[in-house]
Amino acid sequence: MPCVTGAQTLYDNFNVSSINTSLWTIYNTPTGNSSVTEAGGNATFINGAGLMTVANFADASVSGSFQFTGDNDDRFSIISRFDGTSFDPHWQDPSSGIQIQFAPSSNPSPNNPSLQINDLALGTSLASANPEIDMDTYYNFLITDSGSVINVFLGGSSNPVLSAETTASYGSTIGIFNREQLDVGGPQHETTLDYISISEVPEPSTFCLYGLSALLLVGRKLKKKFKTYQNHFPNQS
């Protein structure tokens, strides 16, 4: 099935040994206890680290696969319509843009749904829901942005799990972040991202993008099965 092309696109499966700085600007918190690293086909975010796109993406669709692998009070956020420069001086996380935030269902924070859409500049919640998100489990996601409506698909859902209407925009950077460490030496927040795909594809191509997400998930499973095969039969070419 053909997909609409010709727009700005980015795909990264994190299959080398370091972050590709032609695609990403790396953000580490000023406290120095955060990091984002690439190894084994994954990017690992620790204690508030982030990646921000070098290229601009307006009305972008974002898909990928993540899992929470550290403390269950973590958060994983995709920031769209972000200016790439505004950060809260205390919490050291983005303070502009539209945040799509995922959290473990078992997180202990009160009044913290497992999925939220927030306007960070205004400090307001646009929508929230409570899909089941477990620890140490990969979740495929797709976020579409028409410029007026943001839809979030999770775990292969054919319909949006959450939607919000907003035309507010603060820039055209896409950011990827996990939660900061509240106290140095406290619980470690760690999120693993298996791949990411970003495209300025119009809303009618949503099905096509989500089909691509499913194919990439199959590819990840095959890749891991092949690694297992190599471990069992190391002399096979």
Side-chain angles (χ1 to χ4, degrees):
M1 179 182 295
C3 297
V4 176
T5 59
Q8 182 82 267
T9 59
L10 180 157
Y11 173 72
D12 197 344
N13 62 3
F14 306 112
N15 235 3
V16 293
S17 58
S18 60
I19 298 296
N20 186 341
T21 53
S22 69
L23 300 177
W24 305 105
T25 298
I26 298 171
Y27 173 79
N28 286 303
T29 61
T31 56
N33 64 332
S34 68
S35 65
V36 56
T37 56
E38 177 172 342
N42 298 305
T44 301
F45 298 75
I46 294 178
N47 296 336
L51 295 176
M52 298 177 289
T53 56
V54 171
N56 293 321
F57 291 89
D59 303 341
S61 293
V62 183
S63 61
S65 184
F66 74 92
Q67 66 171 335
F68 292 108
T69 53
D71 188 79
N72 70 337
D73 205 16
D74 199 359
R75 315 280 187 269
F76 174 66
S77 295
I78 303 295
I79 316 293
S80 66
R81 311 184 195 178
F82 179 35
D83 64 13
T85 60
S86 297
F87 290 87
D88 184 279
H90 177 71
W91 298 112
Q92 306 171 359
D93 55 6
S95 58
S96 82
I98 305 301
Q99 177 192 46
I100 297 86
Q101 177 181 278
F102 304 92
S105 296
S106 61
N107 83 86
S109 298
N111 304 315
N112 186 63
S114 60
L115 178 57
Q116 301 179 53
I117 302 176
N118 302 312
D119 185 320
L120 295 178
L122 299 179
T124 57
S125 174
L126 302 176
S128 64
N130 275 299
E132 184 68 24
I133 298 179
D134 296 324
M135 298 292 296
D136 302 305
T137 303
Y138 272 108
Y139 288 90
N140 255 23
F141 67 90
L142 169 65
I143 300 162
T144 64
D145 184 355
S146 68
S148 58
V149 178
I150 293 175
N151 291 312
V152 184
F153 302 79
L154 184 65
S157 59
S158 57
N159 295 312
V161 175
L162 188 63
S163 299
E165 295 184 6
T166 178
T167 58
S169 182
Y170 306 96
S172 51
T173 296
I174 302 295
I176 309 170
F177 294 83
N178 84 322
R179 191 181 188 186
E180 80 288 341
Q181 191 177 50
L182 300 181
D183 300 296
V184 175
Q188 177 129 310
H189 297 137
E190 180 177 306
T191 306
T192 300
L193 183 64
D194 184 66
Y195 75 89
I196 195 76
S197 178
I198 305 173
S199 180
E200 291 180 333
V201 176
E203 188 76 12
S205 295
T206 296
F207 176 78
C208 182
L209 277 174
Y210 208 52
L212 176 62
S213 296
L215 289 173
L216 291 170
L217 178 61
V218 171
R220 174 172 63 81
K221 290 180 178 178
L222 290 174
K223 177 179 69 176
K224 291 184 176 179
K225 286 182 179 179
F226 181 66
K227 288 180 179 177
T228 301
Y229 175 84
Q230 286 182 313
N231 291 335
H232 282 294
F233 303 99
N235 296 321
Q236 298 295 321
S237 58

